């Protein structure tokens, strides 16, 4: 068994450059799958945490918006949400996106001072802002990336916000942004009486969140939508869906392109070794052993590509995460299912691409193969 | 002595029936015999050897080797692995495998463990006088040495019959003589049947019997 495995390894290593190039080709596909998987998973976790900020049971956003950030809920609607039977608390949050010197998409969370406790932000330094003042409590990641400390100011849309505290929640989007008084952000963004989202907690009497949110949405006649999990997010943001679709499409392409790559490499190697295969058959090798040898070579290409692909993918993620904008949106999601997908693609590509050449190799007549020049 | 090879009215046509490679061969070879099949190029001698070795199937006739009917159309892989050992004109070794590994190749289908395979292959390499070159790769060996490795490989799995197709054809006369000495010694000591295809009279004369062929027939 070991000698047979050594033979397979030797066969691949005989054509080093071809093997290396093929492995590189397949591994780039696998690296893309790993990178996209980790990013999509990370973004998904970030969004899930946003929806569940402060252990909210669900989040309310405007219905039928193309992007979550376009959502707009009026003060009257917020009042109505608060008055809905079963709702224990409802906190309005306005999102604002501004450019800062080192981060092209710095997220501001406009919230009333009295509601800060509900979002469970841990103040690590300083204090929270006072309502009405141009004060900002900056997230821990943002403070590090933008090199800001208490007492510094951050220019936001022509106004200088003074940093009065540093907080963390564990959510990269929040920790990469900052908390400001709701009224100030509303005024600055010309969104008086509006919030982007409402974090809702229900009373103990509500046991079935799903039926509660169904009734809730009916009550607002589709003007508002509820997000109880990241899956609901697609109703207000097509970005995640696009990412998921892209990721799947790239996986499929990687399988097809990689499969053709493996098939080409193994096919060339089989034709070049026609005579050798004839010799092996002449000295008594069964067709099954020839098939196993060729498939083994293809499989080994796949295994190498999985290793190299995952390494490249992790390297790319490591590189991406050196950017502040990535740190403020994403905690890489190194979940098992991403690597499982990479392994599955690698195995599919190698076995799929190796099957035809392996089958062809068994069809050689030993006498004819021996005559092959 | 009983016949180990029995061929009757053996026919093999190529290119439709335009080329009559074998055109009704009748041949008996006794167990332990040393036979040379001789004839000019295109007389069908290599085709006949391929049939005897289970590398190709005859179109019609009867062929039985070592009690096995080779006409039954079955896969002859096991037959090739156990009953016959081939030595080709071109050594036909695998260049990326060492001499020793080339000799081990036919043993992959046997039930021997890796260590035993290696031991037997080393014995065979010693037998053909290449003990010190066991780890050499074919491109590093001389033509005569390569053919010795090919003989050692043919002896793997202890076949009853050795089939050699122009074994000295690509060697100089000195190396050719040494290869023939080796094959004759193996035949003499091992009680094996040796069938050699050659067009060289000097090689043919070493055999105990010469079968001459012309245009696909025994003459």
């Amino acid at each position: 068994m070991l000698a047979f495995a050594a033979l397979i390894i030797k066969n691949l290593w005989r054509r080093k450059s071809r093997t290396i190039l093929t492995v590189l080709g397949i591994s780039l596909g696998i690296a893309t799958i790993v990178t996209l998987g980790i990013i999509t998973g990370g973004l998904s976790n970030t969004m899930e945490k946003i929806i569940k900020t402060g252990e909210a049971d669900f989040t309310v956003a405007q219905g039928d918006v193309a992007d979550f950030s376009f959502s707009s809920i009026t003060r009257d609607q917020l009042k109505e949400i608060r008055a809905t039977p079963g709702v224990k608390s409802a906190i309005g949050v306005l999102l604002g996106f501004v450019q800062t010197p080192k981060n092209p998409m710095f997220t501001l969370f406009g919230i009333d001072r009295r509601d800060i406790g509900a979002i469970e932000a841990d103040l690590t330094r300083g204090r929270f802002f006072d309502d009405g003042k141009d004060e900002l409590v900056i997230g821990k990641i943002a403070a590090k990336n933008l090199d800001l400390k208490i007492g510094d100011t951050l220019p936001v849309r022509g106004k200088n916000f003074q940093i009065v505290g540093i907080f963390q929640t564990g959510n990269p989007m929040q920790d990469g942004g900052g908390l400001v008084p709701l009224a100030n952000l509303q005024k600055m963004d010309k969104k008086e009486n509006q919030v982007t989202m409402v974090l809702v907690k229900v009373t103990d009497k509500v046991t079935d969140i799903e039926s509660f949110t169904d009734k809730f949405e009916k009550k607002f006649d589709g003007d508002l939508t509820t997000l109880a999990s990241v899956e609901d997010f697609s109703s207000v943001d097509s970005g995640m869906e696009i990412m998921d679709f892209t990721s799947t499409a790239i996986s499929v392409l990687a399988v097809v392109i990689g499969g053709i790559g493996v098939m080409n490499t193994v096919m060339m190697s089989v034709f070049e070794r026609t005579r050798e295969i004839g010799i092996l058959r002449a000295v008594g090798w069964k067709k099954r052993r020839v098939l196993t040898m060729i498939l083994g070579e293809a499989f080994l290409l796949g295994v190498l590509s999985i290793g190299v692909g995952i390494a490249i993918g992790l390297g790319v993620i490591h590189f991406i995460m050196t950017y502040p904008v990535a740190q403020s949106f994403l905690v890489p999601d190194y979940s098992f299912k991403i690597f499982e997908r990479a392994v599955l693609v690698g195995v599919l590509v190698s076995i799929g691409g190796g099957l035809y050449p392996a089958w062809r190799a068994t069809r050689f007549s030993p006498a004819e193969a021996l005559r092959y020049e | 002595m009983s016949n180990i090879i029995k061929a009757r009215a053996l026919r093999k046509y190529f290119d439709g029936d335009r080329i009559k490679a074998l055109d009704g061969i009748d041949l008996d070879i006794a167990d332990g015999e040393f036979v040379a099949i001789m004839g000019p190029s295109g007389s069908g001698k290599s085709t006949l050897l391929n049939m005897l070795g289970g590398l190709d199937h005859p179109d019609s006739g009867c062929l039985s080797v070592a009690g096995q009917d080779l006409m039954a159309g079955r896969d002859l892989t096991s037959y090739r692995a156990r009953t016959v050992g081939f030595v080709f004109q071109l050594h036909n070794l695998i260049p990326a495998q060492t001499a020793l590994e080339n000799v081990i190749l036919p043993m992959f289908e046997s039930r021997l463990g890796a260590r035993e395979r290696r031991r037997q292959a080393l014995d065979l390499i010693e037998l053909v006088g290449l003990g010190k070159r066991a780890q050499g790769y074919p491109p590093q060996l001389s033509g005569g040495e390569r053919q010795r490795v090919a003989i050692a490989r043919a002896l793997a799995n202890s076949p009853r019959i050795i089939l050699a197709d122009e074994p000295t054809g690509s060697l100089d006369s000195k190396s050719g003589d040494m290869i023939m000495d080796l094959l004759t010694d193996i035949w003499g000591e091992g009680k094996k049947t040796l069938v050699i295809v050659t067009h060289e009279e000097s090689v043919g004369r070493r055999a105990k019997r010469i079968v001459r062929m012309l245009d696909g027939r025994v003459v």
Side-chain angles (χ1 to χ4, degrees), chain A residues 59-118:
Chain A
T59 289
V60 181
Q62 186 185 352
D64 302 329
V65 285
D67 190 279
F68 186 63
S69 58
F70 298 152
S71 161
S72 170
I73 297 170
T74 62
R75 183 194 296 215
D76 291 342
Q77 282 174 319
L78 179 56
K79 274 184 189 165
E80 217 177 318
I81 293 169
R82 284 186 176 139
T84 305
V87 170
K88 188 177 165 193
S89 68
I91 296 161
V93 178
L94 177 67
L95 298 185
F97 301 95
V98 294
Q99 251 189 348
T100 61
K102 286 184 190 165
N103 188 345
M105 205 159 154
F106 184 81
T107 313
L108 289 174
F109 295 83
I111 187 166
D112 279 332
R113 172 67 185 86
R114 62 184 152 87
D115 291 332
I116 282 188

